[in-house]
Amino acid sequence: MNPRDRIKILAAGLAGLGATTAARAENQGLVPAKPISNQPWKVVMQISDSLKQAYEGLINIQNVLELDPQMKFVVVGYGDAIEFLLEGAKTPQGALFSGMIGNLANLGVQFRACNNTLTFMNIPLSKLALEATVVPAGVYEIVKLQSEGYYYVKP
């Protein structure tokens, strides 16, 4: 048997194994997260690149909160992505960010907007989503939260 045939057979076997594992996972449903502490985990998420990153980050938070509703999230927006925290901002799919932000805020997620970015981009505070709190500097806020025990995530 030549080496290419061996690779094809191996690949077919691995594909079958993957399909079996996927089928088992489908039948099990949602697998709950197992906490390693009796205290809720605290996470600070940096959103600074784009509206696409903001959308993906908020979806990530929704997914995590389904697994562990006790987790605490602070989303810090600055730079090019600050727009997601503005009234009327739309996701890449065309939905309003305000709906996602409102739903997550109702679950305890906090949103913080960088004053330096707002000032630099000449964005009035009146355009900011009601759920957002203004902080002096986004990067400073992230570092401060990490010093308070928050885990850092950037989608």
Side-chain angles (χ1 to χ4, degrees):
M1 181 178 302
N2 73 39
R4 288 183 189 219
D5 289 337
R6 287 182 187 168
I7 291 172
K8 287 178 185 176
I9 291 171
L10 177 61
L14 290 175
L17 179 61
T20 303
T21 305
R24 284 188 197 141
E26 264 183 39
N27 293 333
Q28 291 176 357
L30 184 64
V31 178
K34 295 184 182 180
I36 60 171
S37 166
N38 59 359
Q39 297 297 315
W41 291 358
K42 303 179 295 184
V43 177
V44 57
M45 181 176 283
Q46 174 183 335
I47 304 292
S48 59
D49 296 341
S50 66
L51 292 180
K52 181 178 184 276
Q53 179 206 25
Y55 179 73
E56 290 170 358
L58 298 185
I59 293 294
N60 287 338
I61 293 172
Q62 288 175 346
N63 292 339
V64 169
L65 288 174
E66 286 179 18
L67 294 173
D68 185 353
Q70 300 305 311
M71 285 188 74
K72 304 296 179 200
F73 281 92
V74 175
V75 178
V76 179
Y78 66 93
D80 291 337
I82 195 75
E83 291 180 38
F84 90 98
L85 288 173
L86 303 180
E87 290 296 330
K90 293 188 177 182
T91 69
Q93 291 73 21
L96 289 173
F97 268 107
S98 59
M100 293 179 79
I101 290 171
N103 290 339
L104 290 171
N106 287 336
L107 296 173
V109 177
Q110 297 177 29
F111 293 87
R112 301 192 184 159
C114 172
N115 188 60
N116 286 342
T117 299
L118 295 170
T119 301
F120 178 76
M121 297 178 101
N122 295 315
I123 299 171
L125 295 180
S126 61
K127 289 195 170 194
L128 206 55
L130 295 175
E131 296 85 356
T133 303
V134 177
V135 295
V139 172
Y140 176 81
E141 187 69 12
I142 290 168
V143 172
K144 182 176 78 92
L145 290 169
Q146 285 181 285
S147 76
E148 296 171 7
Y150 280 73
Y151 292 98
Y152 168 81
V153 174
K154 181 179 179 187

